[in-house]
Amino acid sequence: MTELQAGQGAQPLKVPRIDARPQRYRDVLIALAAFVLLALLPMVFGSKQLLDFVIRCAAYGLFATSLNLLVGYTGLISFGHGMFFGLGAYGFGLMMQKTGVPIPVAFVATLAMTFVVAVVIGAICVRLKEIYFAFVTLAFQMLVHSTILSWQSLTGGDQGLRGGIPRPPFLGIDLSNHLHLYITSCALLVIGLFLMRQIAQSPFGYTLRMIRDNATRASFIGIDVWRAKLTIFVLAALFAAAGGIIMALFVSGAYPEFAYWTISGEGIFINMLGGVTTFLGPMVGTVLLLILNDTVTRLTEYHGIVLGIVILFFAIGLRKGLMDFVVEWYGHRRGEGRG
Amino acid sequence: MILVDLDALASCLTSPACLVTQTTSGLIIGMLLFLVAVGLTLIFGVLKVVNFSHGAFYMFGAYFAMTAYQLTGSFALAILSGAVGTALLGLIFERAFMSRVYGRDVLMQLLVCYAFVLIFDDVVRMIWGPEFRSMGMPAAFQVPPLFIAGGVVPPYYLLLIGVALAAAVVLGLGLARSRIGKVIRAAAHNPGMVSALGINTGLIYGGVFALGGMLAGLAGALAAPVRSLTPGMGFSVLIESFIVTVIGGMGSILGALIGALLIGLIRSFGSLGFPLFTEGLMYLFMVIVLVSRPTGLFGKEVA
């Protein structure tokens, strides 16, 4: 009897199947609760500034969380993720200005365009490792930025897309109404976060974690690492573009700064600030950075120095993001309580 | 609004005067880029970190040179203070901050550098103001340009190319032949063994970083008379010199030289044929090199 035959009689290994449904129900509940809370906010605090703040959080939060799918879950440090934010803003703005299609059509068309661009750029970039990947994505970001600057007839060059983006009402939603815009942004944020959460918790999400921890081993057990990386690169680009669309709707225009490398730098920084080991870390980081930015710009014109020092505090001092720190500290306390 | 102007490119390629002018302007772009990129590649080769704030040293070199020139009126002192000042800055930066993130996440290294890009730009804005500054051509070089085959070549360009070439030769020979060069190459290969042999690797790391900073500062000082100075001027140079190191291969000095010259020529001739897409040409060229040879033209397999 050979070894092969000996194996045949044995019972197949009993792998316990984890039922993912309860967790999904829980996520749906949390998402609904979050949406209801955000939607009720204008009734309690009517201040326009607060609502503006939440809309900006929605735009940057989607962008930063999608970047975390790359940085935190897959270990792909993209320094050019902001190009998709810019592409989303410009694509949507141009589509609305030039064609006058309904907003949902322009939304889907912008995502489709981002999809194509991300597949092409991703196919080139994800072959490269760590630092090469970081800088090639950065170079593509600069390419997109310089294209926007030089293609003046289409994009308005360094002035940006001006003249406002038309926002015709659809399905009873009128996005030129501030409250409607607010509710729509919140809905997009919650839906986007929910979808990204499902990606992160899916078997594919765990494949990404494995690639991050040991790409060689992952490819030995038959995972197509290149394809998995490309898939998440494209998915993350779509969510970043959605963030850009919210931003374009909010400012009713698009500016070259949306596609500049500092957006990517800020995204990385947000992830660092909030922490990359928890799903909601980047969201916390977004709120922190926006508050920090608003306060610092009000206090001093040299906000680069202040931001730089805060970054150094996190990178060299704390060595982790705020949420990482909180989670670790909480785990530590619980551990002590039990022991 | 012309995107592609191949006629202009073709008529330049057939005229010796235009060829000489464009080639020299390509050469000075290339030589300045080489000085910045070779420091970047050296730091990467030995310390295994990418100095994302390398452009700041170029910027500081230019501003130091301008201040020294305005104070003393001596161009030699201006170049010297640009180079020495940035070397000191590099040493302090490496010992105080970068040395804390060796061997850590690439993300952390990038973040520390990103923090310093923001800080250094604001420091320059604080000291020298946010507006464009210019140093002006030193008196010794305010002479009529040379005419070579009908092409215009300012004498200062020759000095610039000469200094950069001399730096390349000294660096190449020094690394290949001298004792210090051998120690540096050994430290790049196996720092643990080098330190076991009783050599202070911390000192070598600091020294290499200072050397890299000095080369970038030298480039900045040399560029100061022919470029306008502004906070943030380092960043575009950083991007271009990164493209150079990627094309040439990370850690290769010869690669940095060839890559820098190629980029310089692409920029100067590209600005004729593709006036609005010159930068795009560089990125395109980089993408082509990366797709066909991911480690660059002269790069070895990077672990």
Side-chain angles (χ1 to χ4, degrees), chain B:
Chain B
M1 264 294 290
I2 310 158
L3 266 177
V4 181
D5 191 358
L6 288 178
D7 291 343
L9 187 59
S11 71
C12 181
L13 287 177
T14 49
S15 129
C18 182
L19 262 183
V20 169
T21 310
Q22 291 300 322
T23 310
T24 23
S25 87
L27 277 181
I28 71 151
I29 300 173
M31 279 310 187
L32 289 176
L33 268 184
F34 164 71
L35 286 177
V36 182
V38 77
L40 199 66
T41 207
L42 202 63
I43 291 172
F44 178 79
V46 180
L47 281 65
K48 310 284 183 271
V49 295
V50 170
N51 182 16
F52 190 65
S53 57
H54 203 61
F57 292 90
Y58 172 83
M59 172 177 72
F60 272 118
Y63 275 97
F64 286 161
M66 181 185 74
T67 303
Y69 184 68
Q70 283 167 351
L71 289 179
T72 64
S74 152
F75 182 60
L77 267 181
I79 298 286
L80 198 68
S81 57
V84 175
T86 47
L88 279 177
L89 196 68
L91 188 66
I92 297 168
F93 178 53
E94 194 276 341
R95 284 293 90 193
F97 296 101
M98 283 314 280
S99 56
R100 293 169 196 272
V101 287
Y102 291 153
R104 298 250 309 274
D105 233 352
V106 182
L107 184 60
M108 291 295 178
Q109 301 170 350
L110 283 178
L111 268 172
V112 170
C113 292
Y114 174 57
F116 274 96
V117 171
L118 295 175
I119 293 176
F120 282 152
D121 277 1
D122 261 7
V123 166
V124 167
R125 200 167 291 139
M126 247 179 205
I127 301 177
W128 286 282
E131 64 276 5
F132 282 82
R133 303 283 295 266
S134 73
M135 173 170 148
M137 186 60 75
F141 292 98
Q142 287 177 353
V143 288
L146 304 172
F147 288 93
I148 301 173
V152 186
V153 182
Y156 184 73
Y157 283 16
L158 294 180
L159 172 92
L160 205 159
I161 294 170
V163 171
L165 267 185
V169 171
V170 169
L171 196 66
L173 283 183
L175 274 181
R177 301 283 166 80
S178 74
R179 189 186 132 73
I180 298 176
K182 283 176 188 161
V183 172
I184 289 176
R185 282 186 292 137
H189 196 69
N190 190 339
M193 182 56 96
V194 169
S195 95
L197 288 172
I199 292 168
N200 185 346
T201 44
L203 196 67
I204 293 179
Y205 283 180
V208 167
F209 209 98
L211 179 64
M214 188 185 84
L215 289 165
L218 178 67
L222 284 171
V226 287
R227 296 266 194 280
S228 53
L229 278 60
T230 156
M233 67 189 275
F235 192 73
S236 56
V237 172
L238 172 82
I239 297 280
E240 281 171 27
S241 55
F242 184 76
I243 296 176
V244 165
T245 49
V246 164
I247 290 173
M250 277 278 197
S252 157
I253 292 180
L254 181 67
L257 183 63
I258 306 282
L261 291 178
L262 280 173
I263 287 295
L265 292 175
I266 285 181
R267 282 204 70 126
S268 77
F269 284 100
S271 67
L272 289 175
F274 308 88
L276 284 174
F277 201 61
T278 320
E279 282 189 26
L281 277 186
M282 299 188 313
Y283 301 121
L284 210 62
F285 183 58
M286 179 180 81
V287 167
I288 293 170
V289 169
L290 273 179
V291 170
S292 49
R293 276 187 70 102
T295 52
L297 296 176
F298 294 88
K300 296 171 219 70
E301 273 300 319
V302 191

Side-chain angles (χ1 to χ4, degrees), chain A residues 90 94 97-98 147-162 254-256:
Chain A
Y90 269 94
L94 281 171
Q97 281 188 346
K98 305 269 172 190
T147 309
I148 288 175
L149 280 188
S150 57
W151 200 344
Q152 281 184 0
S153 53
L154 184 70
T155 62
D158 56 358
Q159 297 291 315
L161 271 191
R162 290 190 306 172
Y255 302 96

